[in-house]
Amino acid sequence: MKTLSNCYVFLFDGYSDWEPALSMYGMSCFTDVNIITFSLDGKPVTSGGKLLVQPQASLEQALTANIDLLILPGGAPMEQGANTEVLPLVQQLLEKQKTIAAICGATALLAQHGFLDNIPHTSNHAEVLKQLAPAYKGADYYENSPAVTSPHIITASGTAMVAFAKAIFTHFDLLQNDKLKFWFSFFDGSNAGTEMGATQPFHFFYRRYKTNYAGMLELVRTAIKVVYQQAVEADLEICGGPQWHYHGFDGQPDTVFTLDIGLPVTEVKTVAAPWQCETLPPFKCVSMQHHGTWDLLANTYGKLFTGMEMLGLQMNGYTREQYLQYNFEHPEQNITNVQIGVI
């Protein structure tokens, strides 16, 4: 495993501020990696997005620093041949078998000076790279991919901020960190079944209960039978598995909350009380699939709560459980989609 203690990020006037942002935020918030920004002279720079940034160090200081990863953002100056002053640092780090991560225009800088001639790499486009770097001889190694990792150089296109961050995190095994992995899964979708966004509206046939925790447990394996029977009697076409919707449930045994138990159906019909059938509107939520027995659902909720806290999301008091697959004889095969509503 490659060691990553110190990451230096090169900043310059006109640098594309979004390109290193995700990588920097992930490492800063969820790991103990030390992030140091530097410019050629250590003086403030203005990014392409007009952010005035005060770097922490100068190139002179970086040349004597202990650096494990150097991130080179893109930007028009890079494509136009500027910032060659940083190349001795690039060469020095490669000789020490450290890692260079270049994105967008920074790949052109590396190509202009032969660093990509003999390694797998990518950029914004193969032909564009040839135009920006007339001396470039690495066309045979070019890969049409958002991000490419070679032993010591990571490259990415300017639209591949997420792939760039993932390549860095993967290269240094940082995704073994559960908090970083969960947070990052919302950007790249790598955490199967974990999502953040608004659901689609759907038609829902259900019965509403006012209950507490003990009363809720009495409804397991009984209430849904009645829902199926009533849906058939109402001549409704069922189009999905059972769902439990919680309003105001806080996990405390004595708290009385509202619980809707029902089924998605293909249309809305008038039904007799106490049954209801309506179209539920889009639902903004964070969700995760729980695989296994329901007595371990608390673990999945805990992961979601942790991720929401890290992301600064506030709950709205409405939660859904969608039973995508359930097997009372083999509950370890259950698949439950948990959706926690957010503001």
Side-chain angles (χ1 to χ4, degrees):
M1 183 178 73
K2 290 183 176 293
T3 300
L4 178 54
S5 297
N6 296 312
C7 169
Y8 273 60
V9 183
F10 178 49
L11 306 182
F12 53 90
D13 284 327
Y15 82 93
S16 297
D17 38 38
W18 75 90
E19 292 174 348
L22 198 63
S23 305
M24 294 172 67
Y25 188 93
M27 289 186 286
S28 295
C29 293
F30 308 116
T31 77
D32 57 1
V33 175
N34 189 27
I35 307 282
I36 301 96
T37 56
F38 73 100
S39 61
L40 293 179
D41 55 10
K43 295 180 180 180
V45 300
T46 301
S47 74
K50 304 306 179 185
L51 293 174
L52 181 63
V53 183
Q54 172 61 66
Q56 298 157 270
S58 66
L59 174 60
E60 182 179 2
Q61 292 170 305
L63 284 165
T64 59
N66 180 21
I67 301 175
D68 303 302
L69 168 65
L70 171 63
I71 294 180
L72 299 174
M78 283 290 199
E79 298 175 354
Q80 297 163 3
N83 297 317
T84 56
E85 296 92 336
V86 80
L87 293 175
L89 177 60
V90 172
Q91 184 64 48
Q92 174 182 293
L93 293 175
L94 291 177
E95 289 173 357
K96 294 179 180 179
Q97 297 188 327
K98 302 298 184 179
T99 303
I100 311 298
I103 182 169
C104 194
T107 63
L109 176 70
L110 296 184
Q112 290 161 3
H113 297 276
F115 291 101
L116 304 184
D117 284 350
N118 301 295
I119 62 165
H121 62 275
T122 192
S123 184
N124 292 334
H125 191 279
E127 294 304 317
V128 172
L129 192 59
K130 291 178 184 178
Q131 294 175 11
L132 294 175
Y136 165 65
K137 298 182 178 66
D140 291 342
Y141 294 90
Y142 188 91
E143 297 184 12
N144 188 22
S145 180
V148 173
T149 301
S150 69
H152 303 294
I153 295 181
I154 296 168
T155 50
S157 71
T159 59
M161 175 186 70
V162 175
F164 184 59
K166 186 172 185 178
I168 291 171
F169 296 158
T170 302
H171 187 65
F172 290 99
D173 292 325
L174 297 182
L175 292 177
Q176 293 182 11
N177 179 314
D178 288 339
K179 288 185 177 181
L180 175 62
K181 181 179 179 181
F182 181 82
W183 170 79
F184 189 64
S185 71
F186 289 112
F187 296 93
D188 81 331
S190 62
N191 195 347
T194 302
E195 298 178 353
M196 180 171 62
T199 65
Q200 295 296 315
F202 71 98
H203 310 310
F204 193 49
F205 173 73
Y206 65 96
R207 179 172 178 176
R208 174 160 289 176
Y209 299 85
K210 286 288 187 179
T211 185
N212 58 13
Y213 183 75
M216 176 187 71
L217 293 180
E218 294 175 2
L219 295 170
V220 177
R221 299 187 67 168
T222 59
I224 199 62
K225 283 194 210 176
V226 182
V227 175
Y228 273 109
Q229 292 168 354
Q230 293 295 321
V232 172
E233 289 184 16
D235 196 28
L236 288 164
E237 183 179 12
I238 300 166
C239 59
Q243 300 190 19
W244 285 32
H245 296 185
Y246 304 82
H247 304 261
F249 180 48
D250 60 7
Q252 299 302 314
D254 297 327
T255 300
V256 175
F257 60 94
T258 300
L259 173 61
D260 298 337
I261 300 178
L263 296 162
V265 292
T266 57
E267 61 179 324
V268 171
K269 285 187 175 182
T270 300
V271 294
W275 302 98
Q276 299 184 55
C277 188
E278 63 177 316
T279 300
L280 298 185
F283 174 51
K284 186 178 180 182
C285 65
V286 173
S287 67
M288 176 181 286
Q289 285 188 6
H290 171 81
H291 292 252
T293 60
W294 291 331
D295 59 345
L296 297 178
L297 266 171
N299 295 337
T300 294
Y301 275 99
K303 291 178 182 178
L304 281 168
F305 291 149
T306 299
M308 292 167 64
E309 183 179 356
M310 291 187 298
L311 294 168
L313 298 175
Q314 185 177 350
M315 292 181 287
N316 66 9
Y318 178 29
T319 300
R320 297 175 181 174
E321 289 176 0
Q322 301 170 317
Y323 304 107
L324 307 181
Q325 176 176 301
Y326 59 101
N327 186 327
F328 292 122
E329 292 184 350
H330 301 283
E332 69 278 0
Q333 297 179 6
N334 292 350
I335 301 176
T336 307
N337 192 46
V338 177
Q339 298 177 326
I340 300 178
V342 295
I343 296 174

